[in-house]
Amino acid sequence: MAVKSIEGALYGLVEMRVLVVHGLRGLHALARFVCLASLREGVNVVHLAGDVKSPNTVRYLAESCGLRVMGFAGRIDDESVVKAFKDYGEYVESVVVELGGKKILNIGYNPLPERLRSAREVDILVTYFAPLESVRQGLALTSPLVDRVIARTRPRSVLITSCRETRHLGGFTCLGEALRGFYATIDLGPPGPVIVTSTFLDSHLRPQI
């Protein structure tokens, strides 16, 4: 599998931080939260991990906020969102992206099994679908494909992005949707990737909107 590389040296940084969010649902107010949270958290990349709904959201974060944007489609996203990723950022469905020396595998709502079969060991899996039996019924969408990918790629951390609320489930983090105030940051520096979940309320951003 080809690996897209975005090294920290490109930014003059040793470590990299990624903000991951899903469920923006085309709401501009939420996109502004993401913009402000990204500045506050000092992130290098914003990962829109499903249910963006509006291509304007991708364009706003890339052009008006000046952020590097990558992502994949969710259940409610159409081809206009995919095109926006390709035009203003990176569309990373079933792709391994290398950030700061760490490999991140991405599985959205439209996985490409033939591409995923070539994936090997990775550091992080960001997936719209949860592994079977990892979450209670109704908490997130599940797929046996993800179980097979995890068994083969052995990620150190798994971030699931079709959850309504944030839950920590053993070695998995189920990230709640932005509509409920949730986002996550991934620190990619040594000794290894660290996922931290937060809310827009925690970040004291509401008075700025």
Side-chain angles (χ1 to χ4, degrees):
M1 169 180 282
V3 177
K4 294 185 178 181
S5 178
I6 309 173
E7 292 298 333
L10 184 63
Y11 301 89
L13 299 171
V14 175
E15 299 182 7
M16 293 194 72
R17 174 174 287 182
V18 181
L19 186 144
V20 184
V21 65
H22 74 95
L24 294 175
R25 298 180 179 272
L27 299 175
H28 185 67
L30 288 179
R32 291 189 65 192
F33 275 134
V34 172
C35 180
L36 291 170
S38 298
L39 295 173
R40 181 184 178 89
E41 298 281 4
V43 304
N44 310 98
V45 180
V46 171
H47 192 321
L48 304 182
D51 298 333
V52 179
K53 193 172 183 178
S54 172
N56 292 331
T57 296
V58 182
R59 181 175 181 177
Y60 167 75
L61 291 172
E63 292 194 337
S64 298
C65 296
L67 295 168
R68 178 179 285 271
V69 179
M70 68 181 192
F72 50 65
R75 180 178 57 83
I76 66 173
D77 296 321
D78 60 20
E79 281 300 315
S80 68
V81 172
V82 172
K83 185 176 185 301
F85 279 128
K86 293 177 179 179
D87 289 344
Y88 303 107
E90 295 178 76
Y91 180 57
V92 294
E93 175 61 78
S94 304
V95 168
V96 174
V97 178
E98 187 168 331
L99 296 169
K102 300 295 190 295
K103 293 179 179 179
I104 303 174
L105 176 59
N106 303 276
I107 302 177
Y109 190 71
N110 303 299
L112 302 171
E114 66 281 2
R115 183 178 291 174
L116 291 170
R117 277 194 290 270
S118 64
R120 294 298 178 259
E121 192 167 326
V122 298
D123 298 287
I124 302 168
L125 171 63
V126 179
T127 172
Y128 193 77
F129 295 101
L132 294 174
E133 310 301 331
S134 66
V135 298
R136 72 173 187 268
Q137 187 173 6
L139 182 60
L141 300 177
T142 60
S143 170
L145 171 66
V146 175
D147 293 83
R148 295 193 294 271
V149 170
I150 288 175
R152 187 172 63 254
T153 62
R154 296 182 294 175
R156 298 170 65 180
S157 301
V158 177
L159 185 61
I160 303 162
T161 65
S162 60
C163 313
R164 299 187 69 188
E165 297 183 354
T166 293
R167 294 286 187 273
H168 297 281
L169 310 162
F172 306 130
T173 300
C174 205
L175 178 63
E177 61 184 356
L179 193 62
R180 293 170 178 254
F182 296 106
Y183 68 93
T185 55
I186 305 175
D187 289 322
L188 297 171
V194 177
I195 297 175
V196 177
T197 56
S198 305
T199 73
F200 296 122
L201 289 175
D202 291 341
S203 61
H204 307 293
L205 293 173
R206 287 192 181 275
Q208 302 181 43
I209 301 301

